[in-house]
Amino acid sequence: VAYTRYPPAGMRGVAAATRATGFGRIKNYFKIAHEEICVLVQAETKEALDNIEVVAAVEGVDCIFIGPGDLHASLGYPGERSH
């Protein structure tokens, strides 16, 4: 989440004239960007599932979704979509 926020709230890199900033035309972009960002994280392993409540409790995480292919593989069922 810290890498989706600009300093001082996070660690996202700051470049003034990018597409995200409207090439520098969006007033106060670096102060308001966090209001329009949705942070989605993907759970792909058994470890992620075992810690899903911890991940969900991270401030700024808006959604968790499952990565079925990687999850199948990490559980020992690579390519077996019915598991």
Side-chain angles (χ1 to χ4, degrees), residues 15-44:
T18 64
R19 182 180 306 210
T21 68
F23 299 101
R25 293 186 304 260
I26 299 174
K27 185 178 179 182
N28 295 319
Y29 176 79
F30 299 105
K31 293 181 181 179
I32 63 170
H34 69 280
E35 297 170 4
E36 298 181 6
I37 292 175
C38 180
V39 177
L40 308 172
V41 296
Q42 184 167 330
E44 301 178 325

